[in-house]
mmCIF file of all heavy atoms in Angstrom:
data_model
loop_
_atom_site.group_PDB
_atom_site.id
_atom_site.type_symbol
_atom_site.label_atom_id
_atom_site.label_comp_id
_atom_site.label_asym_id
_atom_site.label_seq_id
_atom_site.Cartn_x
_atom_site.Cartn_y
_atom_site.Cartn_z
ATOM 1 N N MET A 22 -13.621 -11.534 -23.608
ATOM 2 C CA MET A 22 -12.920 -12.033 -24.737
ATOM 3 C C MET A 22 -12.646 -13.411 -24.720
ATOM 4 O O MET A 22 -12.814 -14.213 -25.703
ATOM 5 C CB MET A 22 -11.820 -11.069 -25.109
ATOM 6 C CG MET A 22 -11.061 -11.382 -26.376
ATOM 7 S SD MET A 22 -12.067 -10.733 -27.619
ATOM 8 C CE MET A 22 -11.040 -11.179 -29.120
ATOM 9 N N GLU A 23 -11.981 -13.821 -23.575
ATOM 10 C CA GLU A 23 -11.587 -15.172 -23.517
ATOM 11 C C GLU A 23 -12.846 -16.171 -23.580
ATOM 12 O O GLU A 23 -12.779 -17.172 -24.185
ATOM 13 C CB GLU A 23 -10.725 -15.436 -22.280
ATOM 14 C CG GLU A 23 -10.176 -16.811 -22.071
ATOM 15 C CD GLU A 23 -9.225 -16.860 -20.935
ATOM 16 O OE1 GLU A 23 -8.938 -15.860 -20.365
ATOM 17 O OE2 GLU A 23 -8.830 -18.034 -20.589
ATOM 18 N N ALA A 24 -13.892 -15.763 -22.908
ATOM 19 C CA ALA A 24 -15.039 -16.690 -22.833
ATOM 20 C C ALA A 24 -15.602 -16.792 -24.189
ATOM 21 O O ALA A 24 -15.985 -17.968 -24.544
ATOM 22 C CB ALA A 24 -15.986 -16.151 -21.898
ATOM 23 N N VAL A 25 -15.678 -15.841 -25.063
ATOM 24 C CA VAL A 25 -16.175 -15.828 -26.315
ATOM 25 C C VAL A 25 -15.434 -16.768 -27.222
ATOM 26 O O VAL A 25 -15.976 -17.595 -28.010
ATOM 27 C CB VAL A 25 -16.206 -14.397 -27.045
ATOM 28 C CG1 VAL A 25 -16.714 -14.492 -28.511
ATOM 29 C CG2 VAL A 25 -17.292 -13.576 -26.193
ATOM 30 N N VAL A 26 -14.058 -16.610 -27.170
ATOM 31 C CA VAL A 26 -13.036 -17.541 -27.971
ATOM 32 C C VAL A 26 -13.425 -18.994 -27.463
ATOM 33 O O VAL A 26 -13.383 -19.811 -28.391
ATOM 34 C CB VAL A 26 -11.747 -17.023 -27.747
ATOM 35 C CG1 VAL A 26 -10.716 -17.991 -28.506
ATOM 36 C CG2 VAL A 26 -11.499 -15.650 -28.385
ATOM 37 N N ASP A 27 -13.481 -19.237 -26.258
ATOM 38 C CA ASP A 27 -13.736 -20.565 -25.712
ATOM 39 C C ASP A 27 -14.973 -21.121 -26.142
ATOM 40 O O ASP A 27 -15.114 -22.356 -26.329
ATOM 41 C CB ASP A 27 -13.540 -20.587 -24.206
ATOM 42 C CG ASP A 27 -12.127 -20.410 -23.720
ATOM 43 O OD1 ASP A 27 -11.189 -20.567 -24.640
ATOM 44 O OD2 ASP A 27 -12.022 -20.020 -22.550
ATOM 45 N N LEU A 28 -16.020 -20.277 -26.252
ATOM 46 C CA LEU A 28 -17.302 -20.722 -26.740
ATOM 47 C C LEU A 28 -17.300 -21.116 -28.186
ATOM 48 O O LEU A 28 -18.048 -22.040 -28.634
ATOM 49 C CB LEU A 28 -18.394 -19.786 -26.522
ATOM 50 C CG LEU A 28 -18.912 -19.577 -25.146
ATOM 51 C CD1 LEU A 28 -19.875 -18.354 -24.995
ATOM 52 C CD2 LEU A 28 -19.664 -20.775 -24.569
ATOM 53 N N VAL A 29 -16.533 -20.505 -29.009
ATOM 54 C CA VAL A 29 -16.534 -20.602 -30.392
ATOM 55 C C VAL A 29 -15.648 -21.793 -30.770
ATOM 56 O O VAL A 29 -15.963 -22.599 -31.680
ATOM 57 C CB VAL A 29 -15.867 -19.392 -31.135
ATOM 58 C CG1 VAL A 29 -15.786 -19.619 -32.635
ATOM 59 C CG2 VAL A 29 -16.800 -18.205 -31.010
ATOM 60 N N THR A 30 -14.570 -22.058 -30.034
ATOM 61 C CA THR A 30 -13.652 -23.249 -30.477
ATOM 62 C C THR A 30 -13.316 -23.922 -29.157
ATOM 63 O O THR A 30 -13.029 -23.373 -28.158
ATOM 64 C CB THR A 30 -12.472 -22.781 -31.285
ATOM 65 O OG1 THR A 30 -11.648 -23.893 -31.696
ATOM 66 C CG2 THR A 30 -11.651 -21.751 -30.503
ATOM 67 N N LYS A 31 -13.238 -25.279 -29.371
ATOM 68 C CA LYS A 31 -12.674 -26.107 -28.233
ATOM 69 C C LYS A 31 -11.156 -26.519 -28.370
ATOM 70 O O LYS A 31 -10.549 -26.694 -27.420
ATOM 71 C CB LYS A 31 -13.491 -27.461 -28.025
ATOM 72 C CG LYS A 31 -14.934 -27.045 -27.665
ATOM 73 C CD LYS A 31 -14.993 -26.522 -26.280
ATOM 74 C CE LYS A 31 -16.421 -26.182 -25.811
ATOM 75 N NZ LYS A 31 -16.518 -25.426 -24.648
ATOM 76 N N GLU A 32 -10.653 -26.575 -29.598
ATOM 77 C CA GLU A 32 -9.309 -26.987 -29.799
ATOM 78 C C GLU A 32 -8.463 -25.694 -29.705
ATOM 79 O O GLU A 32 -8.923 -24.568 -29.862
ATOM 80 C CB GLU A 32 -9.132 -27.590 -31.112
ATOM 81 C CG GLU A 32 -9.498 -26.877 -32.430
ATOM 82 C CD GLU A 32 -10.963 -27.060 -32.783
ATOM 83 O OE1 GLU A 32 -11.737 -27.876 -32.229
ATOM 84 O OE2 GLU A 32 -11.327 -26.373 -33.843
ATOM 85 N N LYS A 33 -7.181 -25.838 -29.452
ATOM 86 C CA LYS A 33 -6.327 -24.710 -29.423
ATOM 87 C C LYS A 33 -5.969 -24.304 -30.811
ATOM 88 O O LYS A 33 -5.568 -24.989 -31.698
ATOM 89 C CB LYS A 33 -5.058 -25.220 -28.657
ATOM 90 C CG LYS A 33 -5.197 -25.721 -27.282
ATOM 91 C CD LYS A 33 -4.050 -25.200 -26.423
ATOM 92 C CE LYS A 33 -4.512 -25.751 -25.098
ATOM 93 N NZ LYS A 33 -4.228 -24.819 -24.083
ATOM 94 N N LYS A 34 -6.084 -22.889 -30.958
ATOM 95 C CA LYS A 34 -5.841 -22.347 -32.219
ATOM 96 C C LYS A 34 -4.898 -21.175 -31.952
ATOM 97 O O LYS A 34 -5.178 -20.480 -30.950
ATOM 98 C CB LYS A 34 -7.080 -21.879 -32.942
ATOM 99 C CG LYS A 34 -7.904 -22.942 -33.410
ATOM 100 C CD LYS A 34 -9.061 -22.514 -34.236
ATOM 101 C CE LYS A 34 -9.852 -23.715 -34.697
ATOM 102 N NZ LYS A 34 -10.903 -23.165 -35.690
ATOM 103 N N PRO A 35 -3.785 -21.022 -32.827
ATOM 104 C CA PRO A 35 -2.884 -19.796 -32.623
ATOM 105 C C PRO A 35 -3.599 -18.492 -32.739
ATOM 106 O O PRO A 35 -3.287 -17.619 -32.043
ATOM 107 C CB PRO A 35 -1.887 -19.981 -33.628
ATOM 108 C CG PRO A 35 -1.881 -21.427 -34.227
ATOM 109 C CD PRO A 35 -3.405 -21.866 -33.915
ATOM 110 N N LEU A 36 -4.644 -18.295 -33.584
ATOM 111 C CA LEU A 36 -5.300 -17.061 -33.869
ATOM 112 C C LEU A 36 -6.146 -16.699 -32.439
ATOM 113 O O LEU A 36 -6.278 -15.570 -32.159
ATOM 114 C CB LEU A 36 -6.160 -17.026 -34.941
ATOM 115 C CG LEU A 36 -5.346 -16.964 -36.332
ATOM 116 C CD1 LEU A 36 -6.448 -17.046 -37.463
ATOM 117 C CD2 LEU A 36 -4.603 -15.684 -36.408
ATOM 118 N N ALA A 37 -6.651 -17.718 -31.804
ATOM 119 C CA ALA A 37 -7.443 -17.511 -30.617
ATOM 120 C C ALA A 37 -6.371 -16.945 -29.569
ATOM 121 O O ALA A 37 -6.875 -16.045 -28.743
ATOM 122 C CB ALA A 37 -8.021 -18.847 -30.134
ATOM 123 N N LYS A 38 -5.216 -17.542 -29.431
ATOM 124 C CA LYS A 38 -4.316 -16.960 -28.476
ATOM 125 C C LYS A 38 -3.884 -15.554 -28.729
ATOM 126 O O LYS A 38 -3.815 -14.703 -27.804
ATOM 127 C CB LYS A 38 -3.070 -17.922 -28.570
ATOM 128 C CG LYS A 38 -2.026 -17.392 -27.430
ATOM 129 C CD LYS A 38 -0.748 -18.298 -27.535
ATOM 130 C CE LYS A 38 0.319 -17.920 -26.541
ATOM 131 N NZ LYS A 38 0.464 -16.532 -26.135
ATOM 132 N N ILE A 39 -3.742 -15.303 -29.948
ATOM 133 C CA ILE A 39 -3.352 -13.936 -30.399
ATOM 134 C C ILE A 39 -4.538 -12.957 -30.012
ATOM 135 O O ILE A 39 -4.282 -11.929 -29.478
ATOM 136 C CB ILE A 39 -3.051 -13.805 -31.954
ATOM 137 C CG1 ILE A 39 -1.743 -14.522 -32.210
ATOM 138 C CG2 ILE A 39 -2.950 -12.325 -32.330
ATOM 139 C CD1 ILE A 39 -1.432 -14.701 -33.624
ATOM 140 N N ALA A 40 -5.816 -13.373 -30.283
ATOM 141 C CA ALA A 40 -6.933 -12.520 -29.925
ATOM 142 C C ALA A 40 -6.884 -12.268 -28.362
ATOM 143 O O ALA A 40 -7.207 -11.112 -27.929
ATOM 144 C CB ALA A 40 -8.312 -13.300 -30.435
ATOM 145 N N LYS A 41 -6.716 -13.313 -27.644
ATOM 146 C CA LYS A 41 -6.733 -13.285 -26.151
ATOM 147 C C LYS A 41 -5.621 -12.327 -25.660
ATOM 148 O O LYS A 41 -5.955 -11.376 -24.805
ATOM 149 C CB LYS A 41 -6.613 -14.627 -25.445
ATOM 150 C CG LYS A 41 -7.881 -15.439 -25.691
ATOM 151 C CD LYS A 41 -7.638 -16.745 -24.997
ATOM 152 C CE LYS A 41 -8.806 -17.708 -25.124
ATOM 153 N NZ LYS A 41 -8.568 -18.971 -24.518
ATOM 154 N N ASP A 42 -4.587 -12.581 -26.197
ATOM 155 C CA ASP A 42 -3.422 -11.639 -25.853
ATOM 156 C C ASP A 42 -3.592 -10.194 -26.153
ATOM 157 O O ASP A 42 -3.190 -9.340 -25.407
ATOM 158 C CB ASP A 42 -1.990 -12.187 -26.426
ATOM 159 C CG ASP A 42 -1.656 -13.449 -25.748
ATOM 160 O OD1 ASP A 42 -2.137 -13.828 -24.770
ATOM 161 O OD2 ASP A 42 -0.765 -14.199 -26.388
ATOM 162 N N THR A 43 -4.018 -9.948 -27.364
ATOM 163 C CA THR A 43 -4.296 -8.569 -27.672
ATOM 164 C C THR A 43 -5.307 -7.904 -26.838
ATOM 165 O O THR A 43 -5.181 -6.645 -26.563
ATOM 166 C CB THR A 43 -4.794 -8.700 -29.271
ATOM 167 O OG1 THR A 43 -3.822 -9.180 -30.077
ATOM 168 C CG2 THR A 43 -5.027 -7.191 -29.743
ATOM 169 N N ALA A 44 -6.344 -8.521 -26.445
ATOM 170 C CA ALA A 44 -7.422 -8.065 -25.534
ATOM 171 C C ALA A 44 -6.784 -7.707 -24.295
ATOM 172 O O ALA A 44 -7.087 -6.715 -23.651
ATOM 173 C CB ALA A 44 -8.638 -8.948 -25.552
ATOM 174 N N ALA A 45 -6.020 -8.678 -23.741
ATOM 175 C CA ALA A 45 -5.373 -8.417 -22.403
ATOM 176 C C ALA A 45 -4.396 -7.317 -22.561
ATOM 177 O O ALA A 45 -4.365 -6.432 -21.473
ATOM 178 C CB ALA A 45 -4.647 -9.727 -22.004
ATOM 179 N N GLY A 46 -3.675 -7.189 -23.615
ATOM 180 C CA GLY A 46 -2.797 -5.917 -23.657
ATOM 181 C C GLY A 46 -3.658 -4.651 -23.791
ATOM 182 O O GLY A 46 -3.213 -3.688 -23.161
ATOM 183 N N ALA A 47 -4.671 -4.700 -24.535
ATOM 184 C CA ALA A 47 -5.539 -3.489 -24.578
ATOM 185 C C ALA A 47 -6.064 -2.998 -23.120
ATOM 186 O O ALA A 47 -6.092 -1.809 -22.895
ATOM 187 C CB ALA A 47 -6.737 -3.678 -25.570
ATOM 188 N N VAL A 48 -6.472 -3.992 -22.382
ATOM 189 C CA VAL A 48 -6.843 -3.704 -21.104
ATOM 190 C C VAL A 48 -5.737 -3.182 -20.210
ATOM 191 O O VAL A 48 -5.976 -2.199 -19.529
ATOM 192 C CB VAL A 48 -7.543 -5.024 -20.444
ATOM 193 C CG1 VAL A 48 -7.756 -4.800 -18.878
ATOM 194 C CG2 VAL A 48 -8.816 -5.353 -21.069
ATOM 195 N N LEU A 49 -4.520 -3.726 -20.381
ATOM 196 C CA LEU A 49 -3.461 -3.287 -19.615
ATOM 197 C C LEU A 49 -3.104 -1.805 -19.920
ATOM 198 O O LEU A 49 -2.924 -0.907 -19.076
ATOM 199 C CB LEU A 49 -2.188 -3.977 -19.786
ATOM 200 C CG LEU A 49 -0.946 -3.683 -19.176
ATOM 201 C CD1 LEU A 49 -1.115 -3.708 -17.675
ATOM 202 C CD2 LEU A 49 0.203 -4.629 -19.563
ATOM 203 N N VAL A 50 -3.045 -1.482 -21.218
ATOM 204 C CA VAL A 50 -2.681 -0.244 -21.712
ATOM 205 C C VAL A 50 -3.896 0.941 -21.149
ATOM 206 O O VAL A 50 -3.445 1.934 -20.802
ATOM 207 C CB VAL A 50 -2.597 -0.159 -23.153
ATOM 208 C CG1 VAL A 50 -2.570 1.394 -23.823
ATOM 209 C CG2 VAL A 50 -1.435 -0.861 -23.641
ATOM 210 N N SER A 51 -5.057 0.489 -21.247
ATOM 211 C CA SER A 51 -6.176 1.347 -20.852
ATOM 212 C C SER A 51 -6.145 1.607 -19.248
ATOM 213 O O SER A 51 -6.326 2.751 -18.851
ATOM 214 C CB SER A 51 -7.505 0.637 -21.102
ATOM 215 O OG SER A 51 -7.796 0.455 -22.525
ATOM 216 N N ALA A 52 -5.655 0.583 -18.510
ATOM 217 C CA ALA A 52 -5.622 0.756 -17.112
ATOM 218 C C ALA A 52 -4.442 1.697 -16.709
ATOM 219 O O ALA A 52 -4.584 2.649 -15.922
ATOM 220 C CB ALA A 52 -5.373 -0.675 -16.357
ATOM 221 N N ILE A 53 -3.408 1.690 -17.461
ATOM 222 C CA ILE A 53 -2.219 2.369 -17.196
ATOM 223 C C ILE A 53 -2.549 3.798 -17.568
ATOM 224 O O ILE A 53 -2.102 4.820 -16.892
ATOM 225 C CB ILE A 53 -0.899 1.924 -18.065
ATOM 226 C CG1 ILE A 53 -0.540 0.624 -17.381
ATOM 227 C CG2 ILE A 53 0.186 3.002 -17.963
ATOM 228 C CD1 ILE A 53 0.638 -0.083 -18.192
ATOM 229 N N ALA A 54 -3.145 4.086 -18.788
ATOM 230 C CA ALA A 54 -3.626 5.330 -19.218
ATOM 231 C C ALA A 54 -4.500 6.030 -18.134
ATOM 232 O O ALA A 54 -4.443 7.326 -17.860
ATOM 233 C CB ALA A 54 -4.221 5.293 -20.483
ATOM 234 N N ALA A 55 -5.554 5.173 -17.616
ATOM 235 C CA ALA A 55 -6.467 5.722 -16.755
ATOM 236 C C ALA A 55 -5.703 6.212 -15.393
ATOM 237 O O ALA A 55 -5.916 7.417 -14.809
ATOM 238 C CB ALA A 55 -7.481 4.723 -16.323
ATOM 239 N N ALA A 56 -4.679 5.511 -14.980
ATOM 240 C CA ALA A 56 -4.016 5.876 -13.762
ATOM 241 C C ALA A 56 -3.199 7.111 -13.955
ATOM 242 O O ALA A 56 -3.209 8.071 -13.093
ATOM 243 C CB ALA A 56 -3.053 4.656 -13.383
ATOM 244 N N ILE A 57 -2.719 7.209 -15.090
ATOM 245 C CA ILE A 57 -1.801 8.439 -15.492
ATOM 246 C C ILE A 57 -2.777 9.729 -15.536
ATOM 247 O O ILE A 57 -2.396 10.678 -15.011
ATOM 248 C CB ILE A 57 -0.998 8.200 -16.698
ATOM 249 C CG1 ILE A 57 0.126 7.126 -16.604
ATOM 250 C CG2 ILE A 57 -0.410 9.606 -17.224
ATOM 251 C CD1 ILE A 57 0.818 6.740 -17.868
ATOM 252 N N ILE A 58 -3.852 9.588 -16.224
ATOM 253 C CA ILE A 58 -4.812 10.622 -16.277
ATOM 254 C C ILE A 58 -5.349 11.031 -14.879
ATOM 255 O O ILE A 58 -5.487 12.290 -14.650
ATOM 256 C CB ILE A 58 -6.006 10.320 -17.244
ATOM 257 C CG1 ILE A 58 -5.363 10.204 -18.673
ATOM 258 C CG2 ILE A 58 -7.007 11.348 -17.115
ATOM 259 C CD1 ILE A 58 -6.263 9.654 -19.689
ATOM 260 N N GLY A 59 -5.612 10.052 -14.007
ATOM 261 C CA GLY A 59 -6.047 10.269 -12.785
ATOM 262 C C GLY A 59 -4.937 11.062 -11.940
ATOM 263 O O GLY A 59 -5.368 11.950 -11.106
ATOM 264 N N CYS A 60 -3.666 10.677 -12.064
ATOM 265 C CA CYS A 60 -2.744 11.396 -11.369
ATOM 266 C C CYS A 60 -2.602 12.808 -11.891
ATOM 267 O O CYS A 60 -2.413 13.663 -11.070
ATOM 268 C CB CYS A 60 -1.385 10.605 -11.417
ATOM 269 S SG CYS A 60 -1.218 9.047 -10.588
ATOM 270 N N ILE A 61 -2.592 12.929 -13.183
ATOM 271 C CA ILE A 61 -2.537 14.363 -13.705
ATOM 272 C C ILE A 61 -3.629 15.204 -13.199
ATOM 273 O O ILE A 61 -3.449 16.348 -12.866
ATOM 274 C CB ILE A 61 -2.592 14.255 -15.299
ATOM 275 C CG1 ILE A 61 -1.273 13.749 -15.949
ATOM 276 C CG2 ILE A 61 -2.772 15.705 -15.913
ATOM 277 C CD1 ILE A 61 -1.339 13.306 -17.226
ATOM 278 N N ILE A 62 -4.772 14.586 -12.999
ATOM 279 C CA ILE A 62 -5.982 15.437 -12.592
ATOM 280 C C ILE A 62 -5.954 15.694 -11.135
ATOM 281 O O ILE A 62 -6.127 16.863 -10.610
ATOM 282 C CB ILE A 62 -7.289 14.803 -13.008
ATOM 283 C CG1 ILE A 62 -7.460 14.767 -14.484
ATOM 284 C CG2 ILE A 62 -8.517 15.472 -12.256
ATOM 285 C CD1 ILE A 62 -8.576 13.885 -14.952
ATOM 286 N N PHE A 63 -5.643 14.662 -10.299
ATOM 287 C CA PHE A 63 -5.802 14.735 -8.822
ATOM 288 C C PHE A 63 -4.593 15.209 -8.093
ATOM 289 O O PHE A 63 -4.668 15.682 -6.911
ATOM 290 C CB PHE A 63 -6.298 13.400 -8.247
ATOM 291 C CG PHE A 63 -7.802 13.246 -8.678
ATOM 292 C CD1 PHE A 63 -8.031 12.250 -9.489
ATOM 293 C CD2 PHE A 63 -8.751 14.071 -8.112
ATOM 294 C CE1 PHE A 63 -9.411 11.940 -9.945
ATOM 295 C CE2 PHE A 63 -10.065 13.806 -8.489
ATOM 296 C CZ PHE A 63 -10.395 12.812 -9.414
ATOM 297 N N VAL A 64 -3.386 14.931 -8.569
ATOM 298 C CA VAL A 64 -2.095 15.295 -7.721
ATOM 299 C C VAL A 64 -2.097 16.807 -7.410
ATOM 300 O O VAL A 64 -1.795 17.160 -6.327
ATOM 301 C CB VAL A 64 -0.782 14.671 -8.515
ATOM 302 C CG1 VAL A 64 0.327 15.336 -7.998
ATOM 303 C CG2 VAL A 64 -0.859 13.116 -8.312
ATOM 304 N N PRO A 65 -2.285 17.679 -8.394
ATOM 305 C CA PRO A 65 -2.246 19.138 -8.096
ATOM 306 C C PRO A 65 -3.180 19.417 -6.879
ATOM 307 O O PRO A 65 -2.793 20.199 -5.952
ATOM 308 C CB PRO A 65 -2.643 19.844 -9.307
ATOM 309 C CG PRO A 65 -2.312 18.922 -10.363
ATOM 310 C CD PRO A 65 -2.531 17.486 -9.805
ATOM 311 N N TYR A 66 -4.366 18.913 -6.811
ATOM 312 C CA TYR A 66 -5.286 19.234 -5.780
ATOM 313 C C TYR A 66 -4.790 18.682 -4.437
ATOM 314 O O TYR A 66 -4.871 19.257 -3.382
ATOM 315 C CB TYR A 66 -6.763 18.572 -6.152
ATOM 316 C CG TYR A 66 -7.365 19.361 -7.277
ATOM 317 C CD1 TYR A 66 -7.519 18.699 -8.494
ATOM 318 C CD2 TYR A 66 -7.799 20.633 -7.167
ATOM 319 C CE1 TYR A 66 -8.163 19.291 -9.536
ATOM 320 C CE2 TYR A 66 -8.349 21.266 -8.262
ATOM 321 C CZ TYR A 66 -8.520 20.579 -9.462
ATOM 322 O OH TYR A 66 -9.160 21.227 -10.471
ATOM 323 N N LEU A 67 -4.272 17.392 -4.564
ATOM 324 C CA LEU A 67 -3.750 16.819 -3.321
ATOM 325 C C LEU A 67 -2.522 17.572 -2.756
ATOM 326 O O LEU A 67 -2.461 17.763 -1.508
ATOM 327 C CB LEU A 67 -3.379 15.371 -3.574
ATOM 328 C CG LEU A 67 -4.531 14.371 -3.801
ATOM 329 C CD1 LEU A 67 -3.977 12.973 -4.231
ATOM 330 C CD2 LEU A 67 -5.392 14.289 -2.651
ATOM 331 N N LEU A 68 -1.703 17.964 -3.599
ATOM 332 C CA LEU A 68 -0.526 18.755 -3.254
ATOM 333 C C LEU A 68 -0.993 20.082 -2.538
ATOM 334 O O LEU A 68 -0.438 20.517 -1.557
ATOM 335 C CB LEU A 68 0.373 19.086 -4.304
ATOM 336 C CG LEU A 68 1.203 17.899 -4.752
ATOM 337 C CD1 LEU A 68 1.925 18.192 -6.065
ATOM 338 C CD2 LEU A 68 2.177 17.216 -3.775
ATOM 339 N N GLU A 69 -1.947 20.690 -3.140
ATOM 340 C CA GLU A 69 -2.469 21.968 -2.562
ATOM 341 C C GLU A 69 -3.162 21.648 -1.239
ATOM 342 O O GLU A 69 -2.982 22.508 -0.283
ATOM 343 C CB GLU A 69 -3.514 22.636 -3.468
ATOM 344 C CG GLU A 69 -3.813 23.980 -3.147
ATOM 345 C CD GLU A 69 -4.698 24.758 -4.179
ATOM 346 O OE1 GLU A 69 -4.361 24.502 -5.351
ATOM 347 O OE2 GLU A 69 -5.574 25.515 -3.829
ATOM 348 N N LEU A 70 -3.963 20.623 -1.100
ATOM 349 C CA LEU A 70 -4.470 20.306 0.231
ATOM 350 C C LEU A 70 -3.445 20.027 1.250
ATOM 351 O O LEU A 70 -3.677 20.536 2.419
ATOM 352 C CB LEU A 70 -5.333 19.088 -0.035
ATOM 353 C CG LEU A 70 -6.165 18.568 1.179
ATOM 354 C CD1 LEU A 70 -7.169 19.587 1.617
ATOM 355 C CD2 LEU A 70 -6.758 17.237 0.980
ATOM 356 N N ILE A 71 -2.408 19.342 0.934
ATOM 357 C CA ILE A 71 -1.390 19.205 1.912
ATOM 358 C C ILE A 71 -0.692 20.378 2.228
ATOM 359 O O ILE A 71 -0.310 20.668 3.457
ATOM 360 C CB ILE A 71 -0.260 18.191 1.337
ATOM 361 C CG1 ILE A 71 -1.014 16.755 1.145
ATOM 362 C CG2 ILE A 71 0.989 18.100 2.127
ATOM 363 C CD1 ILE A 71 -0.147 15.788 0.361
ATOM 364 N N LYS A 72 -0.339 21.294 1.356
ATOM 365 C CA LYS A 72 0.243 22.592 1.634
ATOM 366 C C LYS A 72 -0.566 23.407 2.603
ATOM 367 O O LYS A 72 -0.180 24.167 3.439
ATOM 368 C CB LYS A 72 0.537 23.307 0.471
ATOM 369 C CG LYS A 72 1.692 22.825 -0.408
ATOM 370 C CD LYS A 72 2.008 23.577 -1.583
ATOM 371 C CE LYS A 72 3.114 22.939 -2.406
ATOM 372 N NZ LYS A 72 3.364 23.691 -3.702
ATOM 373 N N SER A 73 -2.039 23.442 2.316
ATOM 374 C CA SER A 73 -2.850 24.239 3.239
ATOM 375 C C SER A 73 -3.046 23.658 4.633
ATOM 376 O O SER A 73 -3.330 24.465 5.475
ATOM 377 C CB SER A 73 -4.159 24.208 2.436
ATOM 378 O OG SER A 73 -4.922 23.065 2.508
ATOM 379 N N LYS A 74 -2.804 22.424 4.877
ATOM 380 C CA LYS A 74 -2.848 21.829 6.182
ATOM 381 C C LYS A 74 -1.630 22.168 7.130
ATOM 382 O O LYS A 74 -1.666 22.213 8.252
ATOM 383 C CB LYS A 74 -2.968 20.364 6.044
ATOM 384 C CG LYS A 74 -4.183 19.739 5.426
ATOM 385 C CD LYS A 74 -5.292 19.750 6.356
ATOM 386 C CE LYS A 74 -6.503 19.302 5.648
ATOM 387 N NZ LYS A 74 -7.735 19.200 6.512
ATOM 388 N N ARG A 75 -0.539 22.692 6.470
ATOM 389 C CA ARG A 75 0.656 23.024 7.236
ATOM 390 C C ARG A 75 0.565 24.318 7.904
ATOM 391 O O ARG A 75 0.046 25.197 8.038
ATOM 392 C CB ARG A 75 1.877 22.994 6.314
ATOM 393 C CG ARG A 75 2.156 21.647 5.965
ATOM 394 C CD ARG A 75 3.507 21.700 5.195
ATOM 395 N NE ARG A 75 3.851 20.417 4.676
ATOM 396 C CZ ARG A 75 4.964 20.066 4.050
ATOM 397 N NH1 ARG A 75 5.778 21.027 3.882
ATOM 398 N NH2 ARG A 75 5.255 18.885 3.768
#
């Protein structure tokens, strides 16, 4: 996203900053959601594996 905005304009524009910040925020939210979903899926299996090793 940042590279596309930089290609389109060379001067600093407030809307370009907003577009970059919004894209970065979307990536952050997606990464957090993926981590939470991964924990929901894999933690029960890992707990069961740990219990069975004892």
Side-chain angles (χ1 to χ4, degrees):
M22 181 74 178
E23 185 171 351
V25 172
V26 172
D27 289 340
L28 284 174
V29 173
T30 182
K31 292 296 180 192
E32 63 269 358
K33 298 222 180 220
K34 293 189 177 183
L36 287 178
K38 181 184 183 322
I39 292 171
K41 289 179 182 181
D42 290 345
T43 303
V48 169
L49 178 65
V50 169
S51 298
I53 292 170
I57 291 171
I58 291 169
C60 287
I61 290 170
I62 292 171
F63 289 112
V64 166
Y66 294 110
L67 292 174
L68 291 175
E69 190 170 325
L70 182 67
I71 291 170
K72 287 180 184 177
S73 69
K74 293 284 182 176
R75 289 183 181 186

